[in-house]
């Protein structure tokens, strides 16, 4: 009889959680929050603060309309990374003011939040595209709050590093800008008349600021924070030091992987090396992930190929990177966070989370797992 009740209770739990056994992470499955609703935090990132993880991501609505922002940035909290409490909308888009930078219907992607110990402010950066302009604006947005869950106040949006050359600027960039790229904004891979080291996009955008689309933040052990963004028509990543208050670019930055069209960048640090996981540039369609390593965040960066192994490794298991999360209290334990986009019904995008494994040379690997939990890191 007792066993019968145990089985019934277990079945009920599985049903309530939409098939998810609460302690497990099931990549690609519906992931219900504390209210039983699929988590709505796409292109997200996670901040650990005072004993809890906070997950921030794009709140998507149903259908293709969900590829624009109609609500804002959603926040969830969790102590164990599997059960998530809905904390509401941390940053709301603006209604009733069509001219506002984050008016409803803009594109607001890949929000990331970091905490500034000196100012005691939570600082959110995101990729912003102005309403009805496709992906032409290529701006960065900044919002802040005194409380981690918000509400966040929108501060400004801009194109980074206006008037600053990167540390590794080339001669070509300080030459006149050719007509092929002048005043032309073309949206990505295949649209440039040449390699970004032969057509002067950096020079074109020197005064107005560099294009910034897919983006992420990384806070180093010394408290310095960096903004990593896809620039120069997505052809080249920039890694840029932020000011001490994390609210602006410092003007010190480098160009990396020119002409490699990397999107979805996520940086983490393991055994003194900086690792980057990013993707190729193929719209919402998945492609092969890319891994790179550097002894210093400002390089030199070396590409190390695709870190994924096994079936569908060439498609990053049908997902695209968004963040690498260091697991608190566990040494050298990291989780790779990725999105399985569904652009036809954006709200139904899924989350692919996998533990980062390391080979005998300390090179990160990603292997598919149908289901796993944090005990994975205790077995190492
Ligand atoms: C790929 C990017 O990684 C996403 O964040 C989004 O901008 C899509 N492209 C749009 O096509």
């Amino acid at each position: 009889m007792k066993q019968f009740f145990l089985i019934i209770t277990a079945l009920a739990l599985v049903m309530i959680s939409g098939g998810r056994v609460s302690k497990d992470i099931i990549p690609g499955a519906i992931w219900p929050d504390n209210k039983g609703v699929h988590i709505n935090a796409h292109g997200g990132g996670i901040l650990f603060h005072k004993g809890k993880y906070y997950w921030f991501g794009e709140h998507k609505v149903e259908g293709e309309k969900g590829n624009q922002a109609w609500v804002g940035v959603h926040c969830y909290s969790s102590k164990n990374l599997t059960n998530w409490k809905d904390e509401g909308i941390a940053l709301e888009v603006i209604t009733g003011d069509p001219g506002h930078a984050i008016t409803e219907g803009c594109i607001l992607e890949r929000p990331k939040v970091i905490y500034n110990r000196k100012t005691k402010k939570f600082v959110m950066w995101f990729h912003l595209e102005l309403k009805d302009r496709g992906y032409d604006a290529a701006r960065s947005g900044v919002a802040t709050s005194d409380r981690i869950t918000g509400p966040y106040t929108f501060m400004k949006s801009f194109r980074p590093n206006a008037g600053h050359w990167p540390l590794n600027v080339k001669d070509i960039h300080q030459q006149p800008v050719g007509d092929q790229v002048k005043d032309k904004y073309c949206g990505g891979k295949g649209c440039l008349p040449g390699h970004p080291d032969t057509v002067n996009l950096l020079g074109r955008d020197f005064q107005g600021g560099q294009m910034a689309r897919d983006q992420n933040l990384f806070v180093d052990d010394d408290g310095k924070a960096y903004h990593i963004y896809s620039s120069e028509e997505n052809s080249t990543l920039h890694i840029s030091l932020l000011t001490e208050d994390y609210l602006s670019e410092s003007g010190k930055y480098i160009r990396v992987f020119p002409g490699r069209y990397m999107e979805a960048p996520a940086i983490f640090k393991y055994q003194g090396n900086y690792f980057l996981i990013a993707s190729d540039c193929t719209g919402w369609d998945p492609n092969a992930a890319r891994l790179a390593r550097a002894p210093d965040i400002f390089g030199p960066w070396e590409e190390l190929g695709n870190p994924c192994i096994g079936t569908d490794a060439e498609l990053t298991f049908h997902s695209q990177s968004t963040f690498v999360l260091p697991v608190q209290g566990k040494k050298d334990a990291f989780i790779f966070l990725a999105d399985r986009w569904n652009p036809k019904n954006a709200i139904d995008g899924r989350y692919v989370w996998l533990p980062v494994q390391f080979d005998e040379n300390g090179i990160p690997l990603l292997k598919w797992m149908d289901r796993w939990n944090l005990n994975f890191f205790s077995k190492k």
Side-chain angles (χ1 to χ4, degrees), residues 58 109-110 127 135 214 263-264 279 283-284 320 341:
E58 304 159 30
E109 292 181 340
R110 299 186 176 272
H127 166 200
Y135 280 83
D214 278 15
E263 287 194 315
S279 73
W284 296 112
Q320 186 185 29
W341 304 113

Side-chain angles (χ1 to χ4, degrees), residues 25 27 31 44 46 110 264-268 276-279 287-291 306-308 313 315-327 333-340 351-357 364-368 372 377:
I25 289 171
W31 195 336
I46 293 184
R110 299 186 176 272
I267 286 185
F268 63 106
L276 168 87
I277 300 180
S279 73
N287 53 55
R290 294 164 182 191
L291 175 72
N306 180 356
C308 301
L315 295 175
T316 317
F317 316 115
H318 300 272
S319 69
Q320 186 185 29
S321 43
T322 186
F323 199 70
V324 176
L325 174 69
V327 180
F334 301 90
I335 303 176
F336 169 75
L337 276 59
D339 292 285
R340 187 172 284 175
Y351 311 102
V352 171
W353 288 21
L354 294 167
V356 177
Q357 308 194 39
L365 301 173
L366 299 170
K367 294 183 191 165
W368 177 259
W372 64 283
F377 296 113

Side-chain angles (χ1 to χ4, degrees), residues 271-284:
Q271 295 190 344
N273 277 309
Y274 296 83
F275 287 95
L276 168 87
I277 300 180
S279 73
D280 193 356
C281 180
T282 55
W284 296 112

Side-chain angles (χ1 to χ4, degrees), residues 82-307:
T82 52
N83 302 108
W84 290 91
K85 179 181 171 211
D86 183 356
E87 298 281 1
I89 303 302
L91 173 69
E92 288 185 11
V93 295
I94 306 293
T95 48
D97 182 0
H100 197 286
I102 60 162
T103 191
E104 52 179 348
C106 68
I107 293 175
L108 195 165
E109 292 181 340
R110 299 186 176 272
K112 304 287 181 281
V113 175
I114 52 180
Y115 178 61
N116 190 296
R117 286 179 189 279
K118 290 185 188 148
T119 62
K120 302 198 175 357
K121 297 261 183 216
F122 296 91
V123 183
M124 179 189 290
W125 283 65
F126 51 90
H127 166 200
L128 175 67
E129 296 293 346
L130 304 176
K131 191 173 181 180
D132 297 331
R133 283 186 44 189
Y135 280 83
D136 272 6
R139 296 171 80 81
S140 298
V142 180
T144 61
S145 177
D146 294 329
R147 292 182 62 231
I148 189 162
T149 53
Y152 284 74
T153 306
F154 174 75
M155 280 187 67
K156 57 184 172 181
S157 85
F158 53 91
R159 280 195 169 181
N161 287 311
H164 295 279
W165 293 119
L167 297 175
N168 54 354
V169 65
K170 297 193 166 194
D171 288 346
I172 157 93
H173 299 132
Q174 287 155 327
Q175 308 293 319
V177 177
D179 282 341
Q180 326 118 299
V181 292
K182 221 183 216 166
D183 306 325
K184 282 181 198 151
Y185 290 103
C186 55
K189 200 171 180 182
C191 75
L192 290 183
H195 188 275
D197 285 347
T198 65
V199 293
N200 187 7
L201 297 165
L202 199 78
R204 178 191 71 184
D205 295 334
F206 179 73
Q207 274 176 348
Q210 299 300 326
M211 300 178 89
R213 292 196 181 117
D214 278 15
Q215 62 118 47
N216 215 325
L217 300 174
F218 172 75
V219 182
D220 211 338
D221 306 329
D222 58 6
K224 287 186 176 160
Y226 298 84
H227 184 208
I228 304 102
Y229 54 90
S230 302
S231 196
E232 303 177 43
E233 304 288 359
N234 286 348
S235 69
T236 303
L237 282 179
H238 291 182
I239 301 178
S240 179
L241 175 68
L242 297 186
T243 49
E244 279 195 8
D245 57 11
Y246 299 170
L247 300 178
S248 309
E249 309 283 352
S250 67
K252 184 176 176 187
Y253 70 109
I254 56 160
R255 300 170 76 233
V256 277
F257 315 113
R260 290 288 290 143
Y261 289 88
M262 296 216 190
E263 287 194 315
I267 286 185
F268 63 106
K269 199 173 179 181
Y270 168 68
Q271 295 190 344
N273 277 309
Y274 296 83
F275 287 95
L276 168 87
I277 300 180
S279 73
D280 193 356
C281 180
T282 55
W284 296 112
D285 297 334
N287 53 55
R290 294 164 182 191
L291 175 72
R293 178 181 58 190
D296 186 291
I297 195 152
F298 279 146
W301 282 91
E302 175 197 10
E303 271 200 64
L304 299 172
N306 180 356

